[in-house]
Amino acid sequence: MYITGGRVIDPWQGLDAVADVLLQDGLVRWTRSAGGDAPAGARTVDARGMIVAPGFIDLHCHLREPGQEHKETIASGGLAAARGGFTTVCAMPNTEPAIDTPERAADVARRARETAPIRVLPIGTITVGRAGRQLADMTALAGAGCVLFSDDGAAVIDPALMRRALSESAQLGIPLSQHSEDPQILGGAVAHEGEAAAQLGLPAGPASAETRIIERDVALAAETGGRLHVAHASTAGAVELIRAAREGGAPVTAEATPHHLTLTDRALLGERGPQYGWPSGPAADTSLRVNPPLRAQQDVDALVQGLTDGVITAIATDHAPHAAEDKARGFAEAAPGISAIETAFGLLMTALVHTGRLDVSTLITRLTLGPADVLGARAEAEGLRGLTPGASADVVILDPNRAWTVRADRFASRGRNTPLEGCTLRGMVIETFAAGRRVHSVMDDAAAPTRGAGRP
């Protein structure tokens, strides 16, 4: 596959220039200045006017299988990921049963090889059953292929247990992805403590529910040498704690989600994005019920600044598909989460790049190299080395200007729970290649794999 004439952005090489890329036998053969002849026998993809980049890497994705296949399967979530430009996703372990044994981790990896069009890497739990009482066998989980450890949806509250987990992390070289919400502070809150929650009468919690856990954990990471990864950071205070930890040399990384980077708690009042021309929505729309909750504008601004500065090194979708009945309740009772992986790129381009808040090269870096750095040696072993020769041929072709309207009934994901229904986004994933195989194309839908098609 000869991809020619596109603006190639490859953070691994520090490359941002018009160039050609050759994919051969599932690998990147070379990337070179544009203008040469196509290699004999190669199929040519004309990428003029497009961005060519490494496939995106998602550190935080809920695929629901096993046990909740009515919400999502590895196959449907994998296809949704391909449509979103993601060629590698890390599957969260809050399945039923939880991924807390090497056998269950190996089963997820097997199912992914058989059904997903893209690379799916399992995440193991930190504690048995995500119950926060006993450490899982992290060494065995690592041996079964787990790339991170997380009790996502529940923070590890016991500081002694978290300290032991971080000590294990230091030995294994695998990060802990901590869900940083203190339930003792949060209580029954379902929204950010601010004007929107007050107007709607929703149970609300302070930002300290997040910062208290992060403050404790960065201190433990510095003490133990364990690798801490802060999942879905959402507050200005979190950004400053992470900044100080990284400047002090602590082994701390962090991610932010597209929705926390672009939406504020004003959306709960129906103000989804008047600055982008988006239609207003219903108040207390349950599609906006997320953990952690949408925050104030000052928090969004701090997250974007942290993304620009490199304090937050990764964007992760926290793709959380739900069945319709899970959201068809009152706001406080609705299941938290957004089906986010298919809209991530378009949302980020619309709200950050096209508004001048973030340059596109930084966006690509935070979707590719940043997550790969969190995965460390496992990324290298998987060939996640951007568009360098010999890297896995995971490539995405992007139209930075093409406008499209979000219609959830067209999602590949089984989860149709999105607050962006009817919103027009500017920025589209045109084609996705995983290990050199075209797994998504808006120009030739027949080339995309059907559900159940395995990854080569």
Side-chain angles (χ1 to χ4, degrees):
M1 191 73 66
Y2 179 60
I3 304 171
T4 181
R7 176 185 174 185
V8 176
I9 301 177
D10 181 16
W12 276 262
Q13 301 180 74
L15 178 62
D16 185 349
V18 176
D20 299 336
V21 181
L22 180 66
L23 312 180
Q24 187 176 39
D25 298 328
L27 302 175
V28 177
R29 180 72 178 273
W30 45 250
T31 301
R32 69 184 186 191
S33 298
D37 295 330
R43 289 175 291 167
T44 298
V45 176
D46 186 349
R48 286 174 296 178
M50 306 290 178
I51 292 171
V52 180
F56 303 156
I57 301 169
D58 192 358
L59 295 173
H60 192 144
C61 182
H62 299 269
L63 296 182
R64 306 300 189 197
E65 184 179 356
Q68 302 174 75
E69 287 85 353
H70 65 291
K71 297 185 180 186
E72 191 78 286
T73 65
I74 291 172
S76 64
L79 182 54
R83 290 188 178 184
F86 292 87
T87 54
T88 300
V89 300
C90 301
M92 277 289 171
N94 59 336
T95 49
E96 296 179 359
I99 310 304
D100 59 1
T101 68
E103 293 78 15
R104 291 171 184 165
D107 181 57
V108 168
R110 176 191 59 79
R111 295 180 191 218
R113 288 192 299 271
E114 293 175 354
T115 67
I118 50 100
R119 180 186 293 100
V120 175
L121 303 176
I123 298 174
T125 63
I126 298 173
T127 67
V128 175
R130 299 173 49 247
R133 291 189 291 270
Q134 176 186 350
L135 283 187
D137 188 340
M138 296 165 67
T139 300
L141 286 167
C146 290
V147 296
L148 296 167
F149 299 108
S150 181
D151 278 2
D152 188 62
V156 178
I157 297 301
D158 183 341
L161 195 64
M162 188 62 177
R163 187 183 188 283
R164 287 174 52 206
L166 283 164
S167 295
E168 288 278 337
S169 165
Q171 294 294 319
L172 296 168
I174 297 177
L176 306 187
S177 178
Q178 171 76 302
H179 180 106
S180 301
E181 285 189 302
D182 188 333
Q184 294 179 332
I185 297 175
L186 195 64
V190 298
H192 174 67
E193 193 173 70
E195 181 184 349
Q199 286 189 35
L200 295 168
L202 295 173
S208 59
E210 176 173 274
T211 55
R212 185 73 60 85
I213 294 291
I214 295 174
E215 185 175 23
R216 180 203 72 179
D217 287 348
V218 296
L220 290 173
E223 177 186 345
T224 62
R227 295 181 60 193
L228 174 68
H229 180 71
V230 178
H232 44 48
S234 69
T235 62
V239 174
E240 290 314 304
L241 286 168
I242 296 160
R243 185 189 304 276
R246 289 175 61 82
E247 289 176 351
V252 177
T253 55
E255 68 189 35
T257 72
H259 44 278
H260 288 116
L261 288 162
T262 59
L263 298 172
T264 74
D265 59 344
R266 299 291 301 179
L268 273 62
L269 300 174
E271 300 175 14
R272 288 188 297 186
Q275 66 270 45
Y276 314 123
W278 294 345
S280 60
D285 181 355
T286 59
S287 69
L288 293 163
R289 168 84 165 91
V290 288
N291 286 344
L294 299 178
R295 304 290 188 180
Q297 185 65 56
Q298 66 185 37
D299 298 300
V300 174
D301 293 343
L303 290 171
V304 175
Q305 188 62 52
L307 201 69
T308 302
D309 296 345
V311 173
I312 296 172
T313 59
I315 296 172
T317 69
D318 195 6
H319 174 66
H322 287 291
E325 56 268 24
D326 299 319
K327 290 287 192 178
R329 308 168 186 169
F331 191 89
E333 295 76 31
I338 294 173
S339 184
I341 206 162
E342 294 175 71
T343 58
F345 177 71
L347 175 58
L348 294 162
M349 287 292 295
T350 302
L352 299 185
V353 175
H354 288 306
T355 58
R357 304 194 71 192
L358 191 73
D359 66 82
V360 70
S361 295
T362 301
L363 175 61
I364 297 299
T365 300
R366 303 293 180 255
L367 287 166
T368 58
L369 179 60
D373 284 345
V374 174
L375 295 177
R378 182 58 186 271
E380 179 71 21
E382 293 286 339
L384 302 180
R385 300 190 296 275
L387 303 179
T388 60
S392 179
D394 302 334
V395 182
V396 65
I397 300 176
L398 312 163
D399 187 332
N401 295 306
R402 184 164 173 177
W404 60 286
T405 301
V406 177
R407 302 297 181 197
D409 61 1
R410 300 176 188 172
F411 281 2
S413 172
R414 293 185 176 184
R416 308 297 168 84
N417 47 300
T418 175
L420 300 176
E421 176 68 27
C423 295
T424 296
L425 305 180
R426 185 178 163 205
M428 179 183 281
V429 179
I430 300 300
E431 295 196 80
T432 306
F433 299 87
R437 177 186 177 196
R438 182 187 277 118
V439 293
H440 163 67
S441 174
V442 297
M443 296 177 286
D444 183 8
D445 290 340
T450 59
R451 295 173 190 240
R455 183 176 183 273

